[in-house]
Amino acid sequence: MKPRVLVVSSANMDMVQRMKRIPSPGETVLENSHAPAYNPGGKGANSAVAFARMGVDTVFCARVGKDQNGARLRAVYEKEGIDTRFLVADPARATGFASILVEDDGANRIIVYPGANLALSSDDVEEALTCLPDAVYLQFEVPDEPVFAATRFAAEKHIPVFIDAGPAREDFPLEELGEVEIFSPNETETYLFTGIRPNNKDNCLRACIRLASRVKAKFIVLKLGSRGSYVYDGKFFHIIPCVDMPVVDTTAAGDVFTAALVSQYVAGEGIVDAARFATYAAAISVSRAGAYPSIPTFAETAALIRERDV
Ligand code: ATP
Ligand code: RIB
């Protein structure tokens, strides 16, 4: 039977504008190389789609507005086979919206208007846990209260908790998360949580030790962009280089990486093999434009692994 993962997180509509370079303050540039694109996005929704495409039984607990964007997003999730019973249409707030600027080298800058994501509540989470998941998957693009409620409810029911630690803020009380199976921040998040830039092997280890003193995590997996990832189990570490792919847009690479990692781990893979698989999934994601459109399936990821003869 497929493992069931409950994703408790955010949903946004993304507006993506590609450009040769970011304008300076006060400058207007005309950019007609690409038309702006509207794509489903949001860290939680990207992860939920990634889980579904990886063959996981996926339940999504989030809030959208009772508006056109909310209806469009719900239809997309349902088409992906995601269980949307616990996706609430909030009558008082608009669907979350992200403005994303992507430069020619694939680097992105993202501003999120959270909208309905800010109304996600502990009650929403408590109700969603009635789906009896095998794992609970969290990110920080929603208020702290439902995140902590999810960790408490999961602990009471002995359900493992997985955390993709973005977006981060310095004063986030990591110590209150309780036991976590995998905790996975990117470079910026690692720096905000530890004050250490994971820019070389020694600093990765120092950052992991600092994180391990704050979060009771079985595994810490640092996402290091084009430098790959760093897996730490409290004693040993493994460095997993990224897969060489033409970079189009890195948006959602981190969402895809961690969801693919967890999809393999809950299916019984070891942490290093799961991270290797996730590295291929993330490489496919960076080679495609947008968040939702870039998310690969299990079959696409397996085909790339075969092609590169691993
Ligand atoms: P985002 O916020 O853009 O979704 P992130 O900052 O959370 O991403 P990254 O560390 O940038 O996460 O990327 C996640 C994973 O994607 C990396 O660990 C790596 O395996 C893969 N990756 C990132 N950049 C590249 C690249 N240029 N080429 C190939 N793989 C990449
Ligand atoms: O991680 C990428 C996502 O961050 C985008 O889809 C955007 O909506 C923001 O949440």
Side-chain angles (χ1 to χ4, degrees):
M1 218 164 48
K2 287 180 180 180
R4 174 172 296 169
V5 174
L6 171 64
V7 177
V8 176
S9 188
S10 56
N12 296 330
M13 181 60 80
D14 290 353
M15 198 279 287
V16 185
Q17 174 72 64
R18 296 190 67 92
M19 58 190 58
K20 294 203 167 36
R21 67 170 176 85
I22 301 291
S24 307
E27 184 186 14
T28 301
V29 291
L30 298 186
E31 182 59 70
N32 61 8
S33 56
H34 296 84
Y38 286 82
N39 298 318
K43 294 190 187 302
N46 297 339
S47 311
V49 170
F51 276 117
R53 291 187 180 175
M54 291 295 157
V56 170
D57 177 3
T58 310
V59 185
F60 188 29
C61 171
R63 280 200 179 223
V64 291
K66 214 170 188 168
D67 50 23
Q68 233 180 11
N69 279 343
R72 280 179 63 192
L73 294 180
R74 182 185 298 274
V76 167
Y77 309 149
E78 286 174 357
K79 198 178 116 228
E80 294 289 335
I82 295 168
D83 180 340
T84 59
R85 267 178 300 160
F86 307 104
L87 178 68
V88 179
D90 190 307
R93 293 180 189 248
T95 296
F97 189 86
S99 305
I100 304 182
L101 305 182
V102 183
E103 285 179 277
D104 264 359
D105 65 358
N108 63 58
R109 287 172 171 75
I110 304 180
I111 306 168
V112 176
Y113 170 71
N117 292 305
L118 284 184
L120 189 71
S121 70
S122 304
D123 289 346
D124 294 340
V125 178
E126 187 168 17
E127 212 183 317
L129 271 150
T130 58
C131 77
L132 304 179
D134 300 302
V136 172
Y137 187 87
L138 304 168
Q139 286 146 322
F140 300 151
E141 207 172 42
V142 290
D144 295 355
E145 193 199 294
V147 170
F148 290 117
T151 59
R152 273 197 316 277
F153 297 141
E156 280 162 18
K157 295 175 196 291
H158 307 289
I159 301 168
V161 171
F162 297 84
I163 297 183
D164 179 329
R169 48 167 226 274
E170 245 169 320
D171 65 348
F172 185 88
L174 287 177
E175 291 74 6
E176 289 173 31
L177 288 171
E179 285 188 15
V180 173
E181 198 75 10
I182 299 178
F183 184 82
S184 183
N186 70 10
E187 291 166 287
T188 316
E189 291 145 12
T190 301
Y191 176 67
L192 283 170
F193 289 137
T194 65
I196 300 166
R197 290 195 193 282
N199 49 9
N200 59 43
K201 222 159 73 172
D202 287 349
N203 284 346
C204 285
L205 183 58
R206 286 177 57 229
C208 283
I209 292 169
R210 179 80 56 84
L211 280 171
S213 72
R214 301 195 59 197
V215 187
K216 287 192 220 85
K218 189 162 174 191
F219 298 108
I220 294 171
V221 181
L222 307 183
K223 291 174 278 187
L224 304 172
S226 58
R227 291 182 300 122
S229 59
Y230 185 99
V231 178
Y232 177 69
D233 67 3
K235 194 168 177 186
F236 298 107
F237 66 83
H238 298 267
I239 296 168
I240 300 176
C242 83
V243 175
D244 192 22
M245 286 290 267
V247 179
V248 174
D249 179 357
T250 63
T251 309
D255 305 334
V256 168
F257 178 92
T258 315
L261 167 79
V262 173
S263 74
Q264 296 309 292
Y265 184 84
V266 296
E269 286 292 343
I271 188 76
V272 174
D273 286 342
R276 284 206 182 98
F277 179 90
T279 302
Y280 282 86
I284 295 176
S285 159
V286 304
S287 73
R288 299 173 175 171
Y292 169 78
S294 77
I295 301 168
T297 61
F298 179 90
E300 287 170 327
T301 309
L304 180 65
I305 294 174
R306 275 197 307 275
E307 185 190 309
R308 299 292 172 104
D309 212 13
V310 189

